[in-house]
Amino acid sequence: MAVIPVALGGRSYEVQVARGLIEDAGHHLAPYLRKREVPVVVDANVRRLWGARIEAALAVEGHQLRWFEVPPGEGAKSWEWLARLTDWLLDQGVERGDHVMALGGGVVGDLTGFACAILKRGCGFVQVPTTLLAQVDSSVGGKTAINTAAGKNLVGAFHQPSLVLADLDVLGTLPPRELRAGYAEVLKYGVLGDRAFFDWLAANGAAVLALEEAALEHAVATSVAAKAAIVAADERETEDKRALLNLGHTFGHALEAETGFSDRLLHGEGVALGMVLAARYSARIGLLTAPDADKVAAAVGAAGLPASLSAIGLDCNGKTLVAHMLHDKKMDAGTLPFILLHAIGEAFVSRDVALADIAAFLDEELAR
Ligand code: NAD
Ligand code: ZN
């Protein structure tokens, strides 16, 4: 078992990473549960697979779950479901000192966290993330949000959970494609700030994806520790530190937009390919060595993730992709920040990238 502290003064909390946490959830959650009834937000898939187990685990401590179920998928991060959830939490009599449980992937975590941020000006919540992406990324750091017609994650709040239980057992039921998509974010931590971890993943990535316990725990715990350090240093993304977590995301976002934010390209798949593009562009302008750019592409490809634009069959040009980027919320005072690489493990925020140059680069990549 790994326990990673997220050091945020009065908002500090722990992320526990181990197998069997859900089986023992009654014990782990006891300090946070003041009432017999515990409100739990979940999607239909996760409830079907894991609902009975967590119900049994909490019954041991005399707790009864009250379920709020949303349909699986990004659609639950909406005004409509936010309204339904907050009304339901009020109906349940949730007070500021109570804790709501978010049991699920990033969608359930983001929606629940936001509802808890605004419920009575802020009630507690605990995250029990059930996807690899949620365990290594969305459940840690306190960003919560819903989507609106104007774009993804444009309405939200910073609201830290009180505890995160990352149970490695739940990943056993995750569809392999979702597992690989989450692995893209694991790889990201190596590429952006930890060469030794990147090299370790090159050797052990297959064991991680095969859910071998020791490798999986090391990968999740190292990723969480990396995110925790960044969040502790720059909780609200004001200093270019937290922004490094967007490595691969500006390119990735354009690819997600071009594929209509659909099943054609999962977020993690977009990020994986986006990381390759960030590396290749860094090499093109002489920042990164070509062999290192190739290594990033090889690590992405080895995980069964798309490592080139031809792998996802787009019918567009560089200009179209850049236009998608300009809709990115991270556009700041008219410039588009790009996370580029001096080396594997040394990412930085660049604010002087010419978009015409990016479009030309993408045209070359599309033709490769
Ligand atoms: P998700 O929550 O939609 O889950 C993906 C799919 O896996 C869903 O169909 C879900 O029902 C299913 N699932 C979840 N756990 C399962 C399990 N154990 N077994 C079987 N199926 C399971 O998607 P996600 O990838 O976890 O999260 C994506 C969301 O996270 C996006 O909305 C994104 O904006 C958000 N996000 C937030 C942050 C943040 O800092 N808050 C960071 C990254 C991503
Ligand atoms: Zn991401």
Side-chain angles (χ1 to χ4, degrees):
M1 151 119 122
V3 178
I4 299 107
V6 185
L8 291 169
R11 295 180 307 289
S12 297
Y13 54 96
E14 278 181 353
V15 182
Q16 300 187 11
V17 179
R19 296 188 56 182
L21 293 172
I22 285 190
E23 297 293 338
D24 211 12
H27 167 70
H28 296 295
L29 295 174
Y32 305 92
L33 306 179
R34 306 187 304 178
K35 297 177 181 160
R36 211 170 94 83
E37 277 86 27
V38 181
V40 186
V41 186
V42 71
D43 77 17
N45 292 334
V46 174
R47 184 173 180 185
R48 176 172 46 80
L49 292 162
W50 293 93
R53 305 235 205 149
I54 199 149
E55 208 145 44
L58 283 168
V60 172
E61 301 282 326
H63 289 292
Q64 235 178 35
L65 299 188
R66 293 279 179 266
W67 294 97
F68 184 88
E69 187 180 304
V70 299
E74 198 66 29
K77 279 176 58 171
S78 62
W79 285 115
E80 184 194 350
W81 281 101
L82 178 70
R84 285 193 202 177
L85 173 55
T86 48
D87 282 341
W88 180 81
L89 292 171
L90 292 171
D91 269 357
Q92 298 293 309
V94 173
E95 306 288 343
R96 295 185 70 179
D98 292 334
H99 282 84
V100 177
M101 191 196 308
L103 174 67
V107 165
V108 161
D110 279 14
L111 172 70
T112 308
F114 188 35
C116 291
I118 58 176
L119 193 92
K120 299 190 175 167
R121 301 193 181 83
C123 70
F125 77 118
V126 294
Q127 292 264 22
V128 184
T130 63
T131 63
L132 181 57
L133 181 137
Q135 295 192 348
V136 300
D137 193 354
S138 62
S139 68
V140 180
K143 279 192 181 178
T144 73
I146 57 167
N147 307 322
T148 70
K152 282 189 66 178
N153 297 324
L154 293 179
V155 174
F158 286 98
H159 189 51
Q160 301 291 346
S162 301
L163 176 72
V164 181
L165 293 182
D167 184 340
L168 302 173
D169 286 336
V170 292
L171 303 179
T173 57
L174 199 60
R177 190 176 170 204
E178 295 285 352
L179 185 72
R180 289 194 296 271
Y183 181 82
E185 306 277 3
V186 172
L187 210 47
K188 183 186 79 176
Y189 294 109
V191 178
L192 78 85
D194 188 344
R195 173 93 204 207
F197 184 46
F198 178 85
D199 290 340
W200 183 87
L201 288 169
N204 298 281
V208 173
L209 289 166
L211 304 181
E212 287 176 22
E213 181 176 353
L216 183 62
E217 182 175 312
H218 180 72
V220 173
T222 305
S223 300
V224 169
K227 178 141 189 196
I230 288 173
V231 168
D234 184 15
E235 184 181 8
R236 291 186 171 232
E237 201 167 325
T238 49
E239 289 173 31
D240 271 6
K241 290 184 190 132
R242 190 161 182 167
L244 296 180
L245 295 171
N246 294 327
L247 172 64
H249 281 63
T250 302
F251 286 110
H253 176 89
L255 302 172
E256 285 185 87
E258 181 60 25
T259 48
F261 292 98
S262 68
D263 285 355
R264 269 182 70 194
L265 190 74
L266 299 180
H267 172 76
E269 294 168 343
V271 169
L273 181 46
M275 253 182 328
V276 174
L277 294 171
R280 289 215 186 285
Y281 183 74
S282 300
R284 185 180 195 258
I285 61 175
L287 294 172
L288 182 72
T289 67
D292 271 1
D294 289 343
K295 275 188 188 151
V296 173
V300 165
L305 288 159
S308 69
L309 284 172
S310 58
I312 60 170
L314 292 183
D315 181 21
C316 69
N317 60 27
K319 247 185 164 164
T320 320
L321 292 174
V322 166
H324 289 309
M325 290 174 190
L326 291 170
H327 286 114
D328 195 304
K329 68 174 168 169
K330 276 120 201 162
M331 191 149 116
D332 190 6
T335 67
L336 198 53
F338 279 83
I339 316 302
L340 300 179
L341 299 170
H342 284 304
I344 292 175
E346 281 175 48
F348 70 102
V349 182
S350 171
R351 295 186 192 285
D352 53 12
V353 172
L355 291 178
D357 201 32
I358 294 282
F361 160 72
L362 287 169
D363 281 334
E364 288 167 25
E365 290 293 317
L366 283 160
R368 267 165 85 98

